[in-house]
Amino acid sequence: MTSQPTMNKTGNDPGGPGEPGVEGSGLQAGLKDRHLSMIAIGGVIGAGLFVGSSSGIATAGPGILLSYALVGTLVVLVMRMLGEMSAANPTSGSFSAHADRALGSWAGFSIGWLYWFFWVVVLAVEATAGAVILEGWIPAVPQWGWALIVMLVLTATNLVSVGSYGEFEFWFAGIKVVAIAAFIIVGGLAVFGLLPGVDSDQAGLSNLTAHGGFLPNGAGAILTGVLLVVFSFMGSEIATLAAGESENPRKAVTKATNSIIWRVAVFYLGSIAVVVSLLPWDSKSIAKDGSYVAALDSLGIAHAGQIMNFIVLTSVLSCLNSGLYTASRMAFSLGQRGDAPKSFARTTSNGVPRTAILASVAFGFVAVFFNYKFPDSVFLFLVNSSGAVALFVWLVICFSQLRMRKIIKAEAPEKLVVKMWLYPYLTYATAALIVFILGYMLTDTEHDGRQTILLSLLVAAVVLVIAFVKKGFRGGRPAATDAADAGQVQGEERSEVSAG
């Protein structure tokens, strides 16, 4: 009979501040409720929504709404599972720590390092995207110089304290939220002919069906659209990682989980619906200028391109800020569990995992260098080999929740404050859908889906081999796990005291 991992038991904290392996003693509760709320809202809005939606519209036409709805539903279900586990056991390792306890150390090690790899590559992608915009505004500074400046500023922000990260993200995410909300309101009024002073003859709900129908390229284009939009949803899980550094982790996770439905519906489906209603899906301006810029231009709004550049830059900085935070906290959690150097789990007096941050940003700088020196070889490999990590993470969350539900019910049922709907059937259905999408990627040669999945599987296989070899040499790591468990308990006790 296989032994099951156990839930955390209340106990004394075995270490002091900044000591490796103790969750909650090194990290501090520096995030306020308003920080967590905006991180939860902004986390699901990536720069990919603004930049990448035009290719999805060109592929599926108005039917791209179904692609976004399908992926949005998937994200809602996965976040519900993650919310169930994270509300019961808030931790900076989030799904990696849950996988470690539910499936085994190999799972926590593998998905943790893959997730870290994904975000440090994102650092390079976003730094370069931001540098392109800034160089356009101030060409006196070269593109590589802007990338360096942006990375250094946000590294300094993360090194000061978790509160400074939260404050920056609060304003970055706030700008994104306000911009999209304003776009939906203004665009919606124009669609229904209620916007004074705007002459937009081509706007109207008829655009959803008048140019070849709602599915001009056939129903199969919906699945292709899924492949193009799925990665723009990565980041919705950040709130569960950040909750471990809030005053009331359980409340923060519960709130973020319960609000995911309206966030996806409003910001993704709402804004894309406005775009395809304002303009015909096959309008050349969508492909040339980008979907949101083209939509603003169609309303006669002056300097639409520069307005969107500012919003995209804000999204890029937000993604960079959160990416560095997320990568460092995952590295911190891996260090706690003995899956990374112990120095990754050490913190400063301000509760900042300095070594984990510097190691993450160092790899980010290396990736930026590859982007400028070898953009079509080394960097392309890095981007493609990390491209399917989002789906791997979601799949691991499904399997972890299947087992963790039984463990929580058996040992601490009162911690089930968030529950996955129709368990276990909806969990199995979600996992099956993710596997189907991964399989469908193998058939996609037009948009590099096959290359992305094959390279991602290759990297995942390498990490898995390392995990099993490490486990074979060490025979597990009960001491590290116990230390992490003790720290998780402390975080939960902090939450209960705050609630009281």
Side-chain angles (χ1 to χ4, degrees):
M1 181 176 177
T2 338
S3 61
Q4 287 188 331
T6 57
M7 292 292 295
N8 300 327
K9 300 294 191 293
T10 304
N12 297 323
D13 175 18
E19 194 167 333
V22 184
E23 176 86 30
S25 63
L27 298 180
Q28 296 179 4
L31 293 176
K32 301 175 182 177
D33 285 346
R34 65 183 177 88
H35 293 155
L36 260 297
S37 297
M38 199 55 74
I39 289 169
I41 295 172
V44 79
I45 310 170
L49 173 63
F50 302 108
V51 179
S53 54
S54 55
S55 58
I57 293 172
T59 299
I64 194 65
L65 287 169
L66 297 181
S67 302
Y68 273 104
L70 186 59
V71 179
T73 301
L74 186 62
V75 170
V76 167
L77 295 174
V78 170
M79 277 298 295
R80 188 73 186 181
M81 298 176 218
L82 182 55
E84 176 180 298
M85 296 184 289
S86 295
N89 289 280
T91 167
S92 63
S94 188
F95 52 83
S96 174
H98 303 322
D100 188 291
R101 299 177 62 236
L103 305 176
S105 59
W106 65 270
F109 176 96
S110 303
I111 207 64
W113 276 114
L114 285 172
Y115 191 70
W116 179 87
F117 174 58
F118 170 85
W119 279 110
V120 293
V121 172
V122 166
L123 292 181
V125 173
E126 300 295 341
T128 303
V132 169
I133 295 173
L134 289 167
E135 187 190 27
W137 291 343
I138 309 177
V141 180
Q143 195 179 116
W144 66 265
W146 280 120
L148 181 65
I149 291 170
V150 165
M151 291 275 278
L152 288 175
V153 168
L154 293 181
T155 300
T157 300
N158 276 265
L159 284 172
V160 172
S161 68
V162 67
S164 64
Y165 155 73
E167 198 63 31
F168 266 72
E169 189 57 24
F170 175 81
W171 291 106
F172 286 154
I175 292 172
K176 287 191 293 186
V177 169
V178 169
I180 294 184
F183 175 82
I184 292 173
I185 293 171
V186 172
L189 290 173
V191 168
F192 292 102
L194 301 175
L195 190 63
V198 171
D199 182 19
S200 182
D201 296 333
Q202 58 186 344
L205 295 178
S206 60
N207 282 325
L208 297 177
T209 56
H211 301 269
F214 186 70
L215 296 172
N217 297 324
I222 296 173
L223 289 176
T224 307
V226 165
L227 303 184
L228 295 174
V229 307
V230 65
F231 305 110
S232 65
F233 282 83
M234 191 67 165
S236 53
E237 70 290 330
I238 291 176
T240 63
L241 281 92
E245 292 177 82
S246 67
E247 293 180 351
N248 197 330
R250 187 167 288 117
K251 178 184 176 183
V253 169
T254 303
K255 186 176 180 181
T257 303
N258 291 336
S259 66
I260 186 69
I261 297 176
W262 71 260
R263 285 186 277 136
V264 168
V266 171
F267 295 119
Y268 277 86
L269 290 177
S271 63
I272 293 296
V274 167
V275 169
V276 294
S277 298
L278 285 175
L279 286 169
W281 70 272
D282 54 356
S283 171
K284 292 180 180 179
S285 60
I286 291 180
K288 179 184 175 185
D289 304 322
S291 50
Y292 287 82
V293 173
L296 289 176
D297 273 333
S298 73
L299 299 178
I301 295 178
H303 309 294
Q306 292 304 321
I307 292 172
M308 280 311 304
N309 274 340
F310 173 74
I311 295 170
V312 171
L313 178 63
T314 304
S315 297
V316 163
L317 295 177
S318 170
C319 195
L320 262 172
N321 194 38
S322 286
L324 183 52
Y325 171 83
T326 304
S328 64
R329 268 38 177 199
M330 185 57 72
F332 172 84
S333 179
L334 289 166
Q336 277 192 315
R337 289 178 272 140
D339 289 337
K342 289 183 179 180
S343 58
F344 283 17
R346 297 194 183 101
T347 59
T348 65
S349 57
N350 289 334
V352 174
R354 182 167 53 199
T355 304
I357 290 174
L358 293 176
S360 300
V361 81
F363 193 95
F365 277 123
V366 170
V368 168
F369 169 76
F370 285 145
N371 191 16
Y372 288 106
K373 194 69 175 175
F374 311 105
D376 299 322
S377 53
V378 180
F379 187 71
L380 187 62
F381 169 81
L382 291 177
V383 172
N384 285 334
S385 61
S386 64
V389 167
L391 293 169
F392 295 163
V393 167
W394 296 346
L395 193 59
V396 167
I397 288 173
C398 292
F399 291 132
S400 299
Q401 189 264 341
L402 284 170
R403 195 168 187 210
M404 282 299 294
R405 166 67 76 90
K406 297 175 183 177
I407 298 168
I408 298 170
K409 282 190 72 173
E411 302 183 1
E414 71 280 0
K415 292 183 179 180
L416 276 174
V417 293
V418 175
K419 290 184 179 181
M420 176 59 184
W421 307 295
L422 297 177
Y423 170 86
Y425 308 108
L426 208 46
T427 302
Y428 281 121
T430 305
L433 179 57
I434 295 171
V435 171
F436 174 77
I437 293 173
L438 287 168
Y440 189 76
M441 286 180 72
L442 290 171
T443 69
D444 177 41
T445 54
E446 184 180 354
H447 303 97
D448 296 328
R450 177 181 295 177
Q451 185 180 25
T452 297
I453 187 65
L454 291 177
L455 288 177
S456 296
L457 286 171
L458 174 64
V459 172
V462 170
V463 175
L464 275 170
V465 168
I466 295 172
F468 282 112
V469 168
K470 174 181 172 294
K471 183 178 180 181
F473 274 119
R474 295 183 57 180
R477 42 170 172 65
T481 303
D482 287 348
D485 282 351
Q488 287 175 355
V489 172
Q490 189 192 29
E492 292 170 4
E493 289 172 342
R494 183 177 73 231
S495 168
E496 289 164 6
V497 169
S498 299

